[in-house]
Amino acid sequence: SVVSAPPVKPASTAEPTPASEVPTAVDAVELQLKDAGKEQLRQMGIHAAVAICLHNFPEGLAGFISTLADPSVGATVAFAIGVHNIPEGLCVALPIYYATGSRLRAVLWAAICGLSEVLGALIAWIIIKSNGEGLGDLSYALSYGLVAGLMVMMVISEFLPAGFKHDPEDKIVTNAVVCGMAVMASSLCIEIY
């Protein structure tokens, strides 16, 4: 009987992995920074959502009360609020989307912000039903002042730094800020006339 030798494994024909494709400690750090950036975006989206919910709540009050006073004024106010709710929704949805990769989460967070306006209108209706008068000037002044401060702080501390982080040469951010101000000014002009 003939004894056969064990099979010989053929030499690997695969080419060695280039050094550029071997993960390094630098790659690991970059991955951690990327994850940290996503967490920062997620936090920014959540902070924006809270600020915009607080901002939308008194808008709902104002929209409902202005509609009761004069339906044509209420329609104008509703249109102006609707126009400027678009960039507000984007301020919430975009950071959430880029942090999580989930369109559904981004849309849900933006929708929650929009619903706070409806909640404000509902509470205005309840207050008017219960006392027949509505809210006083002091309540409006206080709520709008607090919300304005909150929104300004969000822009200064989170939105602009995040924008400049992604556009360090400022090719887009400043122009986008000016365009955003123009949209808001236009919606206010529509509201006045």
Side-chain angles (χ1 to χ4, degrees):
S1 106
V2 178
V3 178
S4 61
V8 177
K9 293 182 182 176
S12 174
T13 58
E15 294 190 25
T17 304
S20 64
E21 292 181 17
V22 175
T24 65
V26 172
D27 293 330
V29 170
E30 285 178 357
L31 185 59
Q32 287 175 339
L33 289 174
K34 185 177 178 183
D35 289 344
K38 285 186 175 187
E39 178 58 23
Q40 184 180 14
L41 279 173
R42 189 183 73 76
Q43 287 295 321
M44 184 175 69
I46 291 170
H47 291 158
V50 169
I52 290 171
C53 281
L54 293 173
H55 166 82
N56 282 349
F57 183 80
E59 280 184 352
L61 294 168
F64 183 79
I65 291 171
S66 65
T67 301
L68 286 178
D70 183 351
S72 66
V73 170
T76 304
V77 168
F79 178 76
I81 288 172
V83 167
H84 89 260
N85 279 352
I86 295 168
E88 287 176 1
L90 290 173
C91 285
V92 173
L94 289 175
I96 297 290
Y97 172 71
Y98 283 111
T100 65
S102 170
R103 289 182 182 160
L104 179 62
R105 280 188 188 168
V107 169
L108 287 176
W109 275 99
I112 288 168
C113 293
L115 290 174
S116 69
E117 215 161 277
V118 175
L119 181 64
L122 178 65
I123 288 178
W125 177 76
I126 290 169
I127 291 170
I128 290 170
K129 273 300 230 190
S130 67
N131 71 12
E133 294 177 21
L135 301 173
D137 289 338
L138 179 61
S139 297
Y140 277 118
L142 182 62
S143 63
Y144 279 117
L146 288 172
V147 169
L150 199 129
M151 294 300 291
V152 168
M153 282 307 299
M154 287 292 301
V155 167
I156 292 170
S157 68
E158 296 205 23
F159 292 160
L160 287 176
F164 287 121
K165 178 181 172 186
H166 296 284
D167 181 23
E169 295 179 18
D170 191 23
K171 293 181 179 179
I172 299 171
V173 173
T174 300
N175 292 329
V177 168
V178 171
C179 287
M181 290 192 296
V183 167
M184 291 303 294
S186 299
S187 73
L188 293 173
C189 288
I190 292 168
E191 186 175 332
I192 290 170
Y193 299 106

